Amino acid sequence: MPVAAYDDDAIKTLSPREHLRLRPGMYIGKLGDGSQPDDGIYVLIKETVDNSIDEFIMGAGNRIDITIEENVVTVRDYGRGIPLKSLSAAVSQMNTGGKYAGDAFKKTVGLNGVGVKAVNMLSSEFTARSVRDGEAHTVTFAKGLEVSDKWESGVDERTGTCITFRVDEEIFGEYSYNMDFVEQMVRNYTYLNLGLKIYLNGQEYVSKNGLLDLVNDNLSEEPLYPPIHLSGEDIEVVITHGTGYGESYYSFVNGQYTSQGGTHQAAFRASIAKVVKEFYHKDYDPSDVRTSIIAAVSIRMNDPVFESQTKIRLGSKEVAPGVSMQQFVGDFLSVNLDNYLHKHPETAQVLQKKIVENEKERKAISGIQKKARETAKKVAVNNRKLRDCKIHLTDKHDLAEQTMIFITEGLSAMGPITASRNAMTQAVFCLRGKPLNCYGLTKKVVYDNEEFNLLQSALNIEEDMDNLRYNKVIIATDADVDGMHIRLLMTSFFVQFFPDLIRSGHLYILQTPLFRVRNKKENYYCYSEEERQRAKRRCGPTAEITRFKGLGEISPEEFKDLIGDQMRLDKVRLTKDDPISDLLEFYMGKNTYERQGFIIDNLRIEEDLVEDAVS
């Protein structure tokens, strides 16, 4: 193989705009098409709204108007307005902003001078307008390049800033906004900012009780006791318990939803276990205190340090100089939670009963756990079911967010994925046929069943999610009836025993192609009958169509595309409208006839799909 030329001509220097448009993932995470709540189009909305939230935090303006019409987003606040002479630089020059020093902004989120510039440079149309005391300045850009600059005097508008943009399809491809995702983002903003009114397409959103509203609005079952709501200077928490397994947390920093937690959430988890043990004067295991917990924690601090530009995990060790995060959260809970439990003995009694129940179940399976751990360790040395990724053997922590594990259906599927994967960040775990239907069983089955035991050992989630070894856990099965059944069985396993894996956004379904349509020049992978029809029209009468029956039929060379940058993943989500017990009972219980009726009523045959595609 000839060696490629490597000389001075190979060295390139990109402008900030060129780099951002070439590598947008470094700034906003994945691109996506709007089908998932963490897709880039929602990050761009958030980056814009964050600036308006920062105005509210500084006491300037208690209303934000957001409109989304035909993929054009407008965010109008009534804060102080960006200084007029600096408007163009503030929205177009990287690392330019008013949040680096001084008193103009404190305890805010937008710290790096990147956010709204990313919105500008990734938009085909972008307009920023600032109004201050009857004077207005408007600048317009296209793909980050300024196209117009307009000044006005004597305008009859309220002071504030208005940003309008249309995301660039040249970079994002076809996309659409799921308004449910935008609405949840807006609700989170209002929960964390009492007194703020946000209007989304004319609909008002406002919260009167902060995090208490958040927890109550997201409960999928009746809690065991009324949520405990505690507030202090720069900290607010809500605590209750449900009946399921796992731990459910909503954590925030300066109004930013940290979906992957961080140091503040870790401090909260450690502190609540400590305070509860001291209150009851019992040496309870921390896992017994936290199992089934549903909690929210919000803190405010100067200069928070996040682990990426998308700000989904807090890395700050101190909340202020000389004050550790653990000390700050711990001191607050040790006083306020302890006081609350003393004043509300009925809540304290229910909480202790739940802890004791958790303790009894844990001890009942402790012997099985020990034996299961020993079994997992023995087979780990020569585990034919797991092909691990190499990152765990290196110190490349910067690649941790890229790690993923594919849970495959049999050796035939494991083969092509293993051969075509990125061995540094992608692992593969092989199931042996259909796993056990775990509905109605206790967690003892996790340790009794060899496959479940080895899987949880590979994921490292026996104790909690803190040491999860892979950022994405991907169920990869054939797109046939058996494959769909395995997806359902594995999803049920995680929903029942490890729901926090789902709530933290780590569980995905790999969409695998049904067809390949190609001619001598073009090659399309199609995931539906509609896509097959479109590809067939593009390729013309000479199109060759292959129907994939299983993953084992796809060559390793083809799989490189299907599990690479263009991989299609559906995130498994749990919302307030998804009561776990009811879902599991309906889909996995013994109500065969009821389920059969549901399938018949919702069945679509191939002729229907073809007719829809043609029309």
Side-chain angles (χ1 to χ4, degrees), residues 246-267:
E247 307 170 29
S248 178
Y249 298 102
Y250 304 90
S251 62
F252 301 84
V253 178
N254 294 359
Q256 165 65 37
Y257 177 39
T258 44
S259 59
Q260 293 190 9
T263 52
H264 58 323
Q265 184 170 307

Side-chain angles (χ1 to χ4, degrees), residues 576-588:
K576 64 179 180 180
D577 300 319
D578 298 325
I580 292 177
S581 58
D582 294 343
L583 282 173
L584 290 173
E585 181 178 2
F586 181 81
Y587 289 106
M588 307 307 295

Side-chain angles (χ1 to χ4, degrees), residues 591-610:
N591 55 325
T592 306
Y593 292 112
E594 184 180 356
R595 202 160 49 240
Q596 184 181 36
F598 172 82
I599 293 172
I600 293 173
D601 291 341
N602 291 274
L603 183 65
R604 301 190 70 193
I605 61 176
E606 189 168 342
E607 286 80 357
D608 296 331
L609 296 174
V610 173

Side-chain angles (χ1 to χ4, degrees), residues 258-516:
T258 44
S259 59
Q260 293 190 9
T263 52
H264 58 323
Q265 184 170 307
F268 176 82
R269 293 180 70 247
S271 298
I272 191 170
K274 181 175 182 293
V275 171
V276 167
K277 288 196 295 182
E278 291 175 349
F279 175 80
Y280 294 112
H281 305 291
K282 299 280 188 178
D283 190 22
Y284 290 128
D285 189 278
S287 65
D288 297 331
V289 175
R290 295 193 300 252
T291 293
S292 306
I293 194 172
I294 303 164
V297 55
S298 171
I299 67 168
R300 292 199 178 275
M301 59 183 294
N302 286 322
D303 302 323
V305 176
F306 296 96
E307 294 187 3
S308 68
Q309 170 61 24
T310 52
K311 306 182 183 79
I312 57 177
R313 186 177 180 86
L314 182 68
S316 300
K317 297 291 193 297
E318 293 185 331
V319 72
V323 181
S324 71
M325 187 67 68
Q326 185 64 57
Q327 177 186 349
F328 175 69
V329 177
D331 288 351
F332 173 77
L333 288 179
S334 66
V335 173
N336 292 275
L337 179 56
D338 184 81
N339 287 344
Y340 185 95
L341 293 175
H342 275 101
K343 293 178 181 178
H344 298 81
E346 66 287 351
T347 294
Q349 184 177 1
V350 174
L351 174 58
Q352 186 173 33
K353 180 181 178 182
K354 176 59 177 171
I355 295 171
V356 171
E357 289 175 355
N358 291 340
E359 183 180 50
K360 286 181 178 178
E361 181 176 5
R362 178 179 57 81
K363 288 183 176 180
I365 61 175
S366 60
I368 301 171
Q369 283 179 306
K370 183 178 179 180
K371 182 178 179 181
R373 288 192 203 102
E374 292 172 353
T375 301
K377 288 179 180 178
K378 288 178 182 178
V379 299
V381 179
N382 187 26
N383 190 352
R384 294 181 61 196
K385 302 179 82 56
L386 176 66
R387 300 290 183 270
D388 208 353
C389 54
K390 295 179 180 178
I391 189 174
H392 298 303
L393 303 176
T394 72
D395 59 354
K396 295 185 177 181
H397 304 296
D398 57 320
L399 297 178
E401 284 194 9
Q402 300 178 33
T403 55
M404 60 189 74
I405 183 170
F406 296 95
I407 302 174
T408 67
E409 174 189 351
L411 294 173
S412 62
M414 185 183 194
I417 294 183
T418 302
S420 56
R421 66 178 173 143
N422 177 345
M424 177 58 71
T425 58
Q426 294 180 325
V428 187
F429 183 92
C430 177
L431 296 171
R432 184 182 60 215
K434 289 188 179 181
L436 178 70
N437 180 359
C438 60
Y439 172 69
L441 304 177
T442 68
K443 205 169 186 179
K444 176 176 177 290
V445 72
V446 179
Y447 306 97
D448 277 343
N449 182 276
E450 181 181 357
E451 292 215 315
F452 288 160
N453 179 35
L454 293 177
L455 178 58
Q456 78 153 2
S457 176
L459 299 178
N460 199 28
I461 56 175
E462 178 185 343
E463 299 294 337
D464 51 49
M465 293 294 114
D466 283 355
N467 297 309
L468 177 66
R469 298 177 75 242
Y470 311 96
N471 188 42
K472 292 180 179 176
V473 179
I474 303 169
I475 301 172
T477 66
D478 294 342
D480 58 12
V481 174
D482 286 338
M484 297 298 174
H485 190 203
I486 293 174
R487 287 185 188 181
L488 189 58
L489 290 166
M490 288 308 305
T491 303
S492 299
F493 166 73
F494 288 115
V495 167
Q496 179 152 340
F497 298 121
F498 303 101
D500 31 333
L501 183 83
I502 301 174
R503 294 191 183 101
S504 300
H506 295 292
L507 186 63
Y508 295 82
I509 302 293
L510 175 67
Q511 291 300 324
T512 51
L514 297 172
F515 309 97
R516 180 186 60 217

